[in-house]
Amino acid sequence: VVYAIVSTTGAFRVHSATSADGLAWANDTGTVLDGGSTPLASPQLVKLNDGTWRLYVLSGALPESAQVLTMGSSNQGLNWSAATVALSTPAFSLGASVLTNGKVRLFLTQPLVGTSSAGVVASALSSDANGTSFSMESGLRLSTSAASGTLSDAVPVRSTYSYRWRLYYGFADPGTLSTASIRTALTAAPDPK
């Protein structure tokens, strides 16, 4: 697992931990990514179809100056490549999934037009199976109005039906920042036409 912290010195970092059973975790030695004074948030780890790992992290002042950084590992996170910018777009949080065709889709909670609240989940698709370069996709995956509430932390998971996906996300009522409920959305069944 990867997670973002603010160290005792005020530095923003991404660390990793391992577990044999998913219950007891031990921190790995070293730092996966050191952002220094630049905020780091919402790290997402995916395993590509070729077996390599790819890490995505939001970097910068969120949401207006957000960049999605990416790093790769060919030895299950023991060593990582240098971070590069995969996408620059306003975002509060990030989710990632590997599609059956090998491409990576990023899910980003973004501000509603004309507001500063996270009211939409948009997506970006990688140009290839390496998952290093992305383009925003048209339309929205999920949205709400500012009067209804805010969205956070979109986590896509393949449904038990191989052709469907489920999106888990946080939803906070208007004016509530500290308490959110976890909600879910499911893609529609395919249309054979």
Side-chain angles (χ1 to χ4, degrees), residues 79-112:
N79 301 103
W80 292 94
S81 65
T84 60
V85 176
L87 180 68
S88 294
T89 188
F92 288 100
S93 64
L94 176 67
S97 63
V98 178
L99 306 180
T100 54
N101 66 3
K103 292 185 177 184
V104 177
R105 177 167 282 135
L106 299 178
F107 293 85
L108 306 115
T109 55
Q110 296 186 311
L112 288 162

Side-chain angles (χ1 to χ4, degrees), residues 63 92 111-119 150:
F92 288 100
L112 288 162
V113 175
T115 72
S116 59
S117 63
T150 57

